[in-house]
């Protein structure tokens, strides 16, 4: 007789940030902001340091308050699109193995970038593209708001408690935590405040993420 207590295994979901988590885009971002700064006669290093901590419109307000923010944003988008076409991108070690090892439909991308750029970068690096990408255009509030990760979970039909967020940046970590999800940090020497687990590299995290995805009760989450 089959036990009445037997329960079907619950699907576990993995939600990934992109830049800095799966794809190493630091040099590209620095180059794009450097070119943008030159066009406006600004110090490239100073602009980049501000851009690291703020969203584009906030960056413009700090470094180019006398400029039309719409014009600034249009210029930035132009440079970023060109970089996707001509820049050199590298996936972090372990990214391809990890994404190919996850069950289809069990993972998604949650990015502050735009979907067409993410798809372009994945094409350049050979990474598989999931069925769901939540991007900057798809949400009213970006990270560190919980909205991006909550929206990804809703579209996957997942409960927050069944989701693992993989992030590298403080704003993304806060976003995942506020969404009530398990959050692991990667690709940093020092753990971001609040993460449930920390890995110096994505490669180090790969077996643990795959274990989480295959665990019906999420025992690998802590």
């Amino acid at each position: 007789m089959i036990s009445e207590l037997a329960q079907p295994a619950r699907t576990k979901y993995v939600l990934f940030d992109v830049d800095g988590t799966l794809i190493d885009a630091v040099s590209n971002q620095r180059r794009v902001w450097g070119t943008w700064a030159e066009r406006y006669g600004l110090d490239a290093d100073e602009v980049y340091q501000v851009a690291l901590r703020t969203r584009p419109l906030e960056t413009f307000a700090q470094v180019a308050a006398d400029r039309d923010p719409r014009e600034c944003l249009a210029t930035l988008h132009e440079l970023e699109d060109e970089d996707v076409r001509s820049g050199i991108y590298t996936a972090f070690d372990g990214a391809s193995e990890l994404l190919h090892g996850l069950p289809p439909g069990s993972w998604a991308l949650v990015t502050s970038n735009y979907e067409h750029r993410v798809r372009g970068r994945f094409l350049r690096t050979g990474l598989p593209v999931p069925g769901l990408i939540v991007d900057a255009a798809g949400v009213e509030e970006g990270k560190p708001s919980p909205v991006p990760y909550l929206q990804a979970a809703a579209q996957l039909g997942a409960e927050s408690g069944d989701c693992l967020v993989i992030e590298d940046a403080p704003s993304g970590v806060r976003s995942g935590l506020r969404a009530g999800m398990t959050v692991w940090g990667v690709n940093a020497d020092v753990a971001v405040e609040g993460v449930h687990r920390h890995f110096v590299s994505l490669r180090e995290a790969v077996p643990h993420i795959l274990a989480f995805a295959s665990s019906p009760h999420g025992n690998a989450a802590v």
Side-chain angles (χ1 to χ4, degrees):
M1 182 175 69
I2 299 175
S3 171
E4 293 180 358
L5 296 178
Q7 297 290 331
R10 294 171 62 178
T11 301
K12 314 305 292 186
Y13 298 88
V14 186
L15 309 178
F16 294 95
D17 174 51
V18 178
D19 294 339
T21 299
L22 296 172
I23 292 180
D24 186 355
V26 172
S27 60
N28 302 77
Q29 292 169 341
R30 181 180 287 275
R31 182 167 55 252
V32 165
W33 277 108
T35 303
W36 183 91
E38 289 176 4
R39 291 197 180 182
Y40 289 93
L42 302 170
D43 182 274
D45 289 335
E46 291 181 6
V47 169
Y48 183 65
Q49 289 305 312
V50 174
L52 283 175
R53 304 188 305 270
T54 60
R55 287 174 287 190
L57 290 177
E58 296 166 343
T59 302
F60 306 147
Q62 289 192 40
V63 304
D66 60 332
R67 299 282 187 169
D68 182 347
R70 292 170 298 180
E71 175 195 325
C72 292
L73 189 60
T75 300
L76 181 65
H77 284 175
E78 172 193 331
L79 294 172
E80 288 182 324
D81 287 343
E82 176 56 35
D83 185 70
V84 171
R85 291 189 293 268
S86 61
I88 297 174
Y89 284 91
T90 303
F92 282 107
D93 182 30
S96 181
E97 173 191 334
L98 173 58
L99 299 186
H100 279 103
L102 291 170
S106 71
W107 62 284
L109 303 177
V110 181
T111 176
S112 298
N113 212 317
Y114 291 86
E115 182 171 349
H116 72 279
R117 294 193 194 118
V118 171
R119 289 185 177 277
R121 293 175 179 183
F122 271 49
L123 181 64
R124 300 287 299 279
T125 57
L127 294 178
V129 179
L132 174 62
I133 300 176
V134 175
D135 71 346
V139 294
E140 293 185 1
E141 297 179 21
K143 303 172 187 179
S145 164
V147 169
Y149 281 111
L150 289 174
Q151 180 164 311
Q155 291 185 234
L156 288 169
E159 298 291 335
S160 291
D162 292 326
C163 294
L164 170 63
V165 169
I166 307 299
E167 274 279 359
D168 74 299
S171 63
V173 168
R174 289 197 296 273
S175 177
L177 292 174
R178 290 173 179 174
M181 300 175 182
T182 298
V183 183
W184 291 357
V186 298
N187 299 330
D189 293 333
V190 179
V192 175
E193 182 179 358
V195 294
H196 295 97
R197 292 187 70 174
H198 168 68
F199 301 90
V200 174
S201 67
L202 179 66
R203 162 55 66 190
E204 180 185 341
V206 168
H208 303 280
I209 296 170
L210 293 175
F212 173 93
S214 64
S215 171
H217 302 295
N219 294 331
V222 294

